[in-house]
Amino acid sequence: MASDQSDKTSILILAAAAILIAVVIGVSVVVWQAVGAQTAQQAALAEAARTMQAEQSAAEAAQRVQQSQQLAEAEAKGLKAAEEQIQKLQAELAAERKEKELAIAGEEAIANILVEILQSPNPTRDGRDVKVVELLDKASNQLETDLAEQPKRRAQLQSVLGDSYRSLGLERQAIPLLEKARDYQLANPDLEDPETTAAIESLATSYRNSGRQEEAIKLFEEVLELNRKSLGAEHPKTLEAISNLASLYAEVRRKNEALELFETLVPLYRKTIGPEHPSTLRAISNLANLDAEAGRKDEALQLREELLNLCRKVLGSEHPETLKGMTNLASSYAVIGRTKEATELLKQVVDSYRKVYGQQHPETLRAVGQLDNLSAKSKTDSDQTIDSASKGASDESKLPPSE
């Protein structure tokens, strides 16, 4: 019995041991599988890391290659730009050197011309009886040959000589020179160059002085447009161009255009150079006269009163422009029936002319005539008023009595 019990215990121990061994083997298998899986995962991660590192290295290598190419291209462009800059500088230096050579040659030619002109009065040559116009003629002729290869210098001197002729009143001789100077400047691509505008303006003035008003108007219009574009609406040269064109419009009886320009000019002069500047005073006077001719009595009167106050302040009470302003204001007073004020002003004008010029001076006699005319007109108007009043009273006596 005891033996049986012992056998059973042994069997149980063996069974338990078998089970334990099976469990250990199962756990070992699981652990081995887990370790294998972990090892495989680590190997995969390591391979992925190696792949990423290889890709990164390849990208970095490609980037370095690209940067090297860009650097090479930039260096090539830089070399090309440097070569172009060097070529440009060389061309500029050559042009500057050529310009200096031409300038020296031009100055020598001008000097030779001046020497020839100044030597002309020498008694051993042309004699002492040489006139200025003859010297100008000689210089004009020499320009064509001595400055044949210096068109810019020649044009500048043609302009100078043309202005010299014009200052002597010799418009016929001035115009061909000024036309040549203008033509050269117009061929210049920079039409806003001050020399271009000056050449056109000089020619316009000669046309005007020689009676070629329509041609002068076209040129003065061009000058005004160029000055407004290049200098601005309020630049002194622009205002001068407005004044010249407005005055020329008035000369050819284009009164509306003249009036419009002077209406533009007067406020600009007041703003830029002040109301007391001589140019402002002239512009106010011209505008007032145009207003009077256009029948704008109130506007003319207001401007003439302003002008007289300014002239008295700036020029004095006996200055010719002040006396002219008094005469014009008297005319405005007379037109609107303020005869007493007109008469008083003209009496002051006559007294001032007698004091400044004397009894028989043309201005004095003209002022006396204006005063006499106004007095005669005033007397006639007064007689007509009396006659009308008498006639009215006579007619009234013939009317039937009121009811």
Side-chain angles (χ1 to χ4, degrees):
M1 180 129 182
S3 177
D4 293 339
Q5 185 68 30
S6 175
D7 291 338
K8 289 180 181 179
T9 302
S10 298
I11 291 170
L12 289 172
I13 289 172
L14 290 171
I19 292 169
L20 179 59
I21 290 170
V23 170
V24 170
I25 291 171
V27 169
S28 296
V29 171
V30 170
V31 170
W32 180 82
Q33 289 176 342
V35 170
Q38 185 176 8
T39 301
Q41 185 177 9
Q42 289 176 348
L45 290 173
E47 181 65 24
R50 283 193 297 272
T51 302
M52 290 178 63
Q53 185 175 5
E55 291 176 352
Q56 183 177 359
S57 297
E60 291 175 352
Q63 185 176 7
R64 286 194 295 272
V65 170
Q66 184 179 6
Q67 289 176 345
S68 298
Q69 291 175 344
Q70 291 175 346
L71 181 60
E73 292 176 357
E75 290 177 351
K77 289 181 180 178
L79 289 173
K80 184 177 180 181
E83 290 175 358
E84 292 177 350
Q85 187 66 23
I86 291 172
Q87 292 174 355
K88 182 179 178 181
L89 289 174
Q90 288 175 340
E92 290 178 353
L93 288 173
E96 184 179 350
R97 190 162 51 248
K98 180 65 173 177
E99 185 176 353
K100 288 181 178 178
E101 291 173 356
L102 291 174
I104 293 172
E107 289 171 359
E108 290 177 352
I110 293 171
N112 291 334
I113 292 173
L114 292 176
V115 169
E116 289 290 329
I117 292 173
L118 294 175
Q119 285 180 342
S120 294
N122 191 318
T124 63
R125 302 191 66 191
D126 298 340
R128 295 181 180 273
D129 214 12
V130 178
K131 298 179 180 178
V132 173
V133 65
E134 294 175 358
L135 300 179
L136 294 176
D137 290 342
K138 185 171 184 179
S140 301
N141 294 330
Q142 285 188 247
L143 288 181
E144 298 299 329
T145 56
D146 294 4
L147 292 176
E149 297 182 359
Q150 296 282 318
K152 183 175 182 179
R153 297 275 183 176
R154 182 175 60 195
Q156 291 172 337
L157 284 179
Q158 285 169 337
S159 181
V160 171
L161 291 174
D163 287 337
S164 298
Y165 277 122
R166 187 159 55 84
S167 66
L168 296 173
L170 302 173
E171 305 296 346
R172 183 178 61 81
Q173 290 92 330
I175 287 175
L177 289 168
L178 296 175
E179 286 177 334
K180 290 177 181 178
R182 184 273 314 266
D183 292 343
Y184 171 81
Q185 293 298 337
L186 289 179
N188 185 340
D190 186 7
L191 288 177
E192 296 178 16
D193 189 315
E195 289 188 11
T196 303
T197 308
I200 297 173
E201 187 173 11
S202 292
L203 180 58
T205 303
S206 273
Y207 280 159
R208 178 181 185 176
N209 294 341
S210 61
R212 297 163 65 174
Q213 273 81 1
E214 292 303 323
E215 293 170 278
I217 284 175
K218 291 179 181 179
L219 293 183
F220 276 125
E221 289 173 340
E222 188 175 347
V223 169
L224 177 55
E225 182 180 354
L226 289 172
N227 283 343
R228 278 175 169 163
K229 183 178 179 181
S230 61
L231 302 175
E234 297 182 359
H235 191 277
K237 294 297 292 183
T238 303
L239 301 185
E240 180 184 347
I242 295 175
S243 179
N244 288 334
L245 183 56
S247 299
L248 190 51
Y249 279 151
E251 285 180 20
V252 298
R253 311 303 295 175
R254 292 168 63 171
K255 299 295 185 180
N256 291 336
E257 292 163 286
L259 183 61
E260 182 179 350
L261 281 181
F262 275 119
E263 285 179 330
T264 301
L265 182 62
V266 168
L268 289 174
Y269 268 154
R270 285 177 176 146
K271 177 183 177 182
T272 57
I273 58 178
E276 298 178 3
H277 193 278
S279 295
T280 308
L281 299 181
R282 282 193 297 270
I284 293 174
S285 177
N286 288 328
L287 178 56
N289 292 339
L290 288 168
D291 277 333
E293 291 182 23
R296 300 168 60 175
K297 301 176 184 178
D298 294 338
E299 290 86 346
L301 176 62
Q302 182 177 354
L303 287 171
R304 284 173 171 173
E305 287 179 334
E306 176 192 2
L307 180 63
L308 179 56
N309 290 332
L310 289 171
C311 286
R312 281 172 170 163
K313 178 181 178 181
V314 176
L315 305 174
S317 59
E318 295 180 349
H319 191 278
E321 290 299 320
T322 304
L323 299 179
K324 186 189 299 182
M326 293 171 67
T327 302
N328 289 336
L329 180 57
S331 175
S332 286
Y333 282 150
V335 167
I336 61 175
R338 293 167 62 173
T339 309
K340 182 177 180 181
E341 292 163 283
T343 302
E344 181 61 30
L345 275 178
L346 285 179
K347 286 181 178 179
Q348 294 177 29
V349 170
V350 170
D351 290 342
S352 295
Y353 274 135
R354 284 173 174 164
K355 177 181 177 181
V356 175
Y357 296 122
Q359 294 281 358
Q360 301 302 316
H361 192 275
E363 293 294 340
T364 305
L365 298 177
R366 181 161 41 248
V368 171
Q370 290 171 329
L371 180 60
D372 291 342
N373 290 337
L374 180 61
S375 299
K377 183 178 183 302
S378 176
K379 184 176 184 305
T380 300
D381 292 343
S382 176
D383 291 343
Q384 289 176 348
T385 302
I386 294 173
D387 291 343
S388 297
S390 300
K391 186 175 184 299
S394 175
D395 290 343
E396 184 178 358
S397 65
K398 296 178 182 179
L399 291 176
S402 59
E403 298 180 356

